[in-house]
Amino acid sequence: MKLTTKYFGEIDYSAEDVLHFPRGIFAFEEEREFLLLPFSGSDGTLLCLQSLATPQLAFVVMNPFTMNPAYAPVLQPEELSEMGVEESTELCYYVLCVVKNPVSTSTVNMKCPVVINDQTRIATQVILEGGEYGMRHLLSEFQAEEGSSC
């Protein structure tokens, strides 16, 4: 199948590549299907969450573990059940990035990650309980570190 994207032009994809968001993403609840596309040269750290329904709708997301290896999101029991897993560690996490100029003033939302079950391709966005993570962490807070990824 073909899709016109915001950042990559026209691409080919297969049905197995599609992420299904049963409740959409915050403020975009009607958007239910996305592709996760890596930006060239980012080694899977910087990605694009591209809507299938709206070609100009794409979010820049990052692997939070490469910025903060100690990042340890914990989902609530009902969220784990909805995702079809027993432990938060069974899931993949990505954080939304607001890209600004200069890049050092860009921020990431560690409090509301996009969560993906890589086996079922079901995804959701959650709000983590507690005050450990914020919604606007400056990229400059993080040193370039290697971390785990899905």
Side-chain angles (χ1 to χ4, degrees):
M1 296 181 278
K2 293 198 179 295
L3 177 70
T4 300
T5 67
K6 181 174 182 174
Y7 298 114
F8 305 100
E10 187 174 88
I11 63 165
D12 291 314
Y13 74 97
S14 67
E16 296 82 35
D17 298 328
V18 177
L19 295 173
H20 303 278
F21 285 77
R23 291 179 290 148
I25 292 178
F26 299 151
F28 296 91
E29 288 79 10
E30 69 285 353
E31 299 284 340
R32 304 289 175 97
E33 294 185 324
F34 288 84
L35 296 176
L36 192 59
L37 307 168
F39 284 102
S40 178
S42 72
D43 294 326
T45 298
L46 186 65
L47 304 106
C48 170
L49 190 62
Q50 173 67 56
S51 166
L52 263 64
T54 309
Q56 289 306 305
L57 180 63
F59 301 96
V60 174
V61 297
M62 298 184 78
N63 177 336
F65 303 103
T66 59
M67 295 178 289
N68 178 3
Y71 185 64
V74 176
L75 274 61
Q76 298 302 304
E78 59 274 7
E79 294 166 334
L80 292 171
S81 177
E82 180 180 308
M83 295 302 293
V85 299
E86 294 182 14
E87 302 284 333
S88 294
T89 56
E90 298 175 64
L91 300 165
C92 300
Y93 297 87
Y94 296 94
V95 292
L96 295 171
C97 180
V98 176
V99 181
K100 298 180 182 177
N101 190 3
V103 174
S104 63
T105 62
S106 298
T107 59
V108 290
N109 182 341
M110 303 291 266
K111 178 114 179 134
C112 305
V114 170
V115 183
I116 301 169
N117 181 324
D118 205 36
Q119 303 300 309
T120 64
R121 308 299 289 168
I122 298 296
T124 192
Q125 187 178 19
V126 299
I127 300 173
L128 299 176
E129 298 286 324
E132 186 173 353
Y133 303 112
M135 295 176 77
R136 289 182 188 89
H137 290 273
L138 287 171
L139 281 183
S140 59
E141 289 178 31
F142 305 102
Q143 296 178 349
E145 300 182 49
E146 292 299 318
S148 62
S149 162
C150 282

